[in-house]
């Protein structure tokens, strides 16, 4: 049973808190593309019954205009220097965002089920990326382009305001996350990860987790041993 419709998240298959609009859009896309996504019609019906945020015409437009694709583990959705207006919404899998600094990879974020990845656009102009987006697992994603969004918003202006609310929510969560990260110790960062995103520890190599937390793998190992002793 898939967790890609609005329901309580689990540690095994998490769905991050999103607006009803984003949840319904996601369920609509899955209903239109059942082949690559493991989901039952009961899931779709249950999700759509929880909200009437989108009209039938809006849902049909999303079905026909937004494709779903599968990328193999190791695929790069974005490269440094690439100019792209394409964004992604993750149905299944894990994507690592990273950049090169002093010839070393610096992990900036992990994206999992329910997360969106948006390119860097200033005004209406897509700018060269400073990051890489790497699939850590086989990933199933909805593919959004700036052109597709313009067409959708042109046909259904209400969608633009609804999606803007979702974007504002995501930006607010990002600001809180950055403030918390800057003011916390390495051990507090790891503890927060254990509490908020424990599934990452089973899906991502420890050295990537360490880099994400601003630690060396050795420092992370020491923190894990200290926490294990406290819990014993």
């Amino acid at each position: 049973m898939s967790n890609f419709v609005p329901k309580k998240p689990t540690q095994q298959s998490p769905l991050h808190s999103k607006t009803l609009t984003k949840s319904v859009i996601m369920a609509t896309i899955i209903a239109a593309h059942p082949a690559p996504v493991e989901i039952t019609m009961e899931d779709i019906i249950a999700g759509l019954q929880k909200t009437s945020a989108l009209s039938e015409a809006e849902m049909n437009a999303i079905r026909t205009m937004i494709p779903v694709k599968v990328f193999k583990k190791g695929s790069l959705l974005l490269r440094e220097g690439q100019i792209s207006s394409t964004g992604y919404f993750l149905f299944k899998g894990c994507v690592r965002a990273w950049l090169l600094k002093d010839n070393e990879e610096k992990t900036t974020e992990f994206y999992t089920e329910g997360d969106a990845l948006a390119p860097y656009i200033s005004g209406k102009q897509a700018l060269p990326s400073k990051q890489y987006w790497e699939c850590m697992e086989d990933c199933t994603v909805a593919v959004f382009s700036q052109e597709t969004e313009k067409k959708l918003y042109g046909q259904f202006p209400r969608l633009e305001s609804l999606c803007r609310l979702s974007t504002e929510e995501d930006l607010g969560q990002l600001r809180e996350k950055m403030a918390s990260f800057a003011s916390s110790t390495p051990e507090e960062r790891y503890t927060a990860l254990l509490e908020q995103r424990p599934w990452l520890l089973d899906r991502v190599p420890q050295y990537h987790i360490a880099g994400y937390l601003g630690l060396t793998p050795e420092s992370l190992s020491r923190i894990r041993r200290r926490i294990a002793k406290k819990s014993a």
Side-chain angles (χ1 to χ4, degrees):
M1 179 73 68
S2 170
N3 285 334
F4 296 140
V5 288
K7 59 177 69 176
K8 183 178 180 180
T10 65
Q11 291 187 3
Q12 289 75 26
S13 184
L15 179 61
H16 296 249
S17 176
K18 299 292 179 183
T19 61
L20 286 176
T21 301
K22 188 173 290 185
S23 297
V24 174
I25 289 176
M26 185 162 58
T28 304
I29 297 171
I30 295 174
H33 304 275
V37 183
E38 296 178 2
I39 191 167
T40 68
M41 185 53 66
E42 286 75 17
D43 292 326
I44 298 298
I45 293 174
L48 295 178
Q49 284 178 338
K50 292 186 177 183
T51 177
S52 58
L54 299 182
S55 68
E56 187 65 30
E58 289 167 338
M59 289 191 288
N60 286 336
I62 292 170
R63 288 189 183 103
T64 58
M65 296 175 69
I66 300 178
V68 170
K69 295 184 179 181
V70 177
F71 292 90
K72 293 295 185 180
K73 178 180 178 180
S75 298
L76 289 176
L77 304 181
L78 186 68
R79 298 172 183 269
E80 180 183 13
Q82 180 181 349
I83 299 176
S84 174
S85 61
T86 300
Y88 303 90
F89 199 100
L90 264 170
F91 293 128
K92 184 177 181 181
C94 177
V95 173
R96 179 175 73 104
W98 56 276
L99 51 81
L100 280 175
K101 185 175 182 180
D102 299 327
N103 293 320
E104 291 186 8
E105 294 182 8
K106 303 291 184 181
T107 299
T108 58
E109 187 56 273
F110 296 104
Y111 299 91
T112 53
E113 289 82 359
D115 285 334
L117 294 89
Y120 183 29
I121 297 177
S122 178
K124 297 182 179 180
Q125 181 67 41
L127 300 178
S129 172
K130 296 182 180 180
Q131 297 192 95
Y132 294 83
W133 292 343
E134 180 184 0
C135 295
M136 303 301 291
E137 305 168 346
D138 290 350
C139 293
T140 302
V141 299
V143 182
F144 298 83
S145 69
Q146 194 174 18
E147 182 179 351
T148 298
E149 287 189 6
K150 287 180 181 179
K151 289 181 180 179
L152 277 173
Y153 296 158
Q155 293 180 32
F156 306 100
R158 190 175 73 101
L159 279 180
E160 184 172 9
S161 61
L162 290 173
C163 290
R164 184 181 295 114
L165 290 174
S166 177
T167 300
E168 291 173 353
E169 176 187 342
D170 289 345
L171 287 174
Q173 292 175 354
L174 177 61
R175 292 190 188 100
E176 291 181 6
K177 183 176 181 179
M178 291 176 66
S180 176
F181 188 91
S183 61
S184 59
T185 66
E187 186 163 335
E188 288 171 339
R189 294 171 194 166
Y190 180 70
T191 300
L193 187 68
L194 282 177
E195 294 173 351
Q196 299 168 13
R197 308 175 77 184
W199 55 85
L200 282 178
L201 303 179
D202 296 324
R203 302 172 68 174
V204 177
Q206 180 173 314
Y207 65 93
H208 285 321
I209 295 290
Y212 173 62
L213 296 174
L215 300 167
T216 64
E218 294 76 16
S219 296
L220 178 56
S221 294
R222 287 193 292 270
I223 289 174
R224 295 180 69 175
R225 286 195 295 269
R226 282 202 303 270
I227 292 176
K229 288 181 180 179
K230 292 177 182 178
S231 303

